[in-house]
Amino acid sequence: GAGVSQSPSNKVTEKGKDVELRCDPISGHTALYWYRQRLGQGLEFLIYFQGNSAPDKSGLPSDRFSAERTGESVSTLTIQRTQQEDSAVYLCASSLDRGGNEQFFGPGTRLTVL
Amino acid sequence: AQSVTQLGSHVSVSEGALVLLRCNYSSSVPPYLFWYVQYPNQGLQLLLKYTTGATLVKGINGFEAEFKKSETSFHLTKPSAHMSDAAEYFCAVSLRRALTFGSGTRLQVQP
């Protein structure tokens, strides 16, 4: 595909349920990032993958959050036992892994926890 | 640690007027600097970026920004606002890889 794609575009879940969000990066992009955007706020970094290196998980807010990426392809972000404060838009981005390289963002997944 | 401050969560200008969106950063070393725009119900799109070299950076849609190291600023400007410029604008800084974003400035353009 031409750009970063994410699915689902919208997800409504009940408090306490687990959710899984998917990101398909641009082909050939070795770096992949997950960010969270709460309503009316800027983006918060969650996690960064680069090739087969250990991911940078420094932005994950709690151990209920985890993410996986196989090689340089699809990534999934999993939130266990969702809480209302997890409601946000989750954005994925990918880039060629060079300093200062542009990150290309997907359209996001809007998560609503009831 | 790095951080980004965007002064003014909302800016309103008249069509044809100058647009000035302010961004200040803090970083222990010169960072890479970015401006992204988010149109309603759309993803983020890169407007422009500063990595090295010329400190005045030109981007898409007539926007430009100037990196001023002495002021730790990277303000975004456009000489003449269009109605289509109404959107949310985010300044971001990168030292290693992940971006640190400011809280955003929503630009309104009045007819």
Side-chain angles (χ1 to χ4, degrees):
Chain A
V4 178
S5 61
Q6 293 185 245
S7 61
S9 55
N10 279 284
K11 176 72 176 178
V12 180
T13 190
E14 293 179 347
K15 178 181 172 180
K17 301 278 190 184
D18 297 353
V19 295
E20 192 171 277
L21 312 180
R22 176 187 169 108
C23 172
D24 282 87
I26 292 172
S27 178
H29 280 190
T30 56
L32 186 147
Y33 311 78
W34 283 97
Y35 294 88
R36 176 171 70 178
Q37 185 178 24
R38 287 180 162 143
L39 187 64
Q41 297 184 25
L43 281 73
E44 304 169 71
F45 165 72
L46 297 177
I47 188 169
Y48 156 62
F49 295 90
Q50 196 282 311
N52 293 317
S53 302
D56 176 354
K57 303 179 181 180
S58 60
L60 294 178
S62 78
D63 59 6
R64 296 187 294 105
F65 288 72
S66 62
E68 292 184 348
R69 186 185 187 196
T70 304
E72 296 181 357
S73 61
V74 171
S75 175
T76 55
L77 176 70
T78 302
I79 308 173
Q80 295 178 309
R81 305 181 303 282
T82 52
Q83 303 294 312
Q84 288 185 330
E85 62 262 28
D86 299 335
S87 296
V89 177
Y90 289 82
L91 290 158
C92 175
S94 71
S95 73
L96 296 168
D97 191 36
R98 299 188 211 119
N101 236 44
E102 175 185 357
Q103 293 183 22
F104 292 82
F105 283 82
T109 293
R110 182 175 299 277
L111 175 65
T112 303
V113 182
L114 302 177
Chain B
Q2 59 203 35
S3 66
V4 179
T5 302
Q6 291 185 240
L7 293 174
S9 58
H10 289 80
V11 170
S12 182
V13 300
S14 298
E15 193 173 18
L18 171 72
V19 176
L20 171 60
L21 305 182
R22 299 178 186 274
C23 173
N24 287 86
Y25 69 91
S26 67
S27 174
S28 55
V29 296
Y32 300 124
L33 296 159
F34 304 79
W35 275 99
Y36 279 85
V37 60
Q38 187 174 36
Y39 297 103
N41 300 315
Q42 295 187 30
L44 275 77
Q45 179 181 4
L46 182 70
L47 271 180
L48 50 80
K49 67 178 182 180
Y50 170 78
T51 53
T52 59
T55 55
L56 181 62
V57 180
K58 294 187 183 298
I60 62 171
N61 301 337
F63 284 93
E64 61 182 38
E66 186 171 11
F67 169 57
K68 292 188 176 180
K69 184 179 177 181
S70 61
E71 299 177 8
T72 61
S73 70
F74 191 56
H75 302 330
L76 182 71
T77 60
K78 181 174 180 177
S80 176
H82 289 186
M83 297 296 292
S84 60
D85 294 327
E88 184 132 25
Y89 293 79
F90 293 95
C91 182
V93 55
S94 169
L95 270 183
R96 297 191 184 93
R97 295 294 182 263
L99 294 170
T100 299
F101 283 85
S103 55
T105 297
R106 184 167 298 278
L107 176 67
Q108 285 184 310
V109 182
Q110 307 289 345

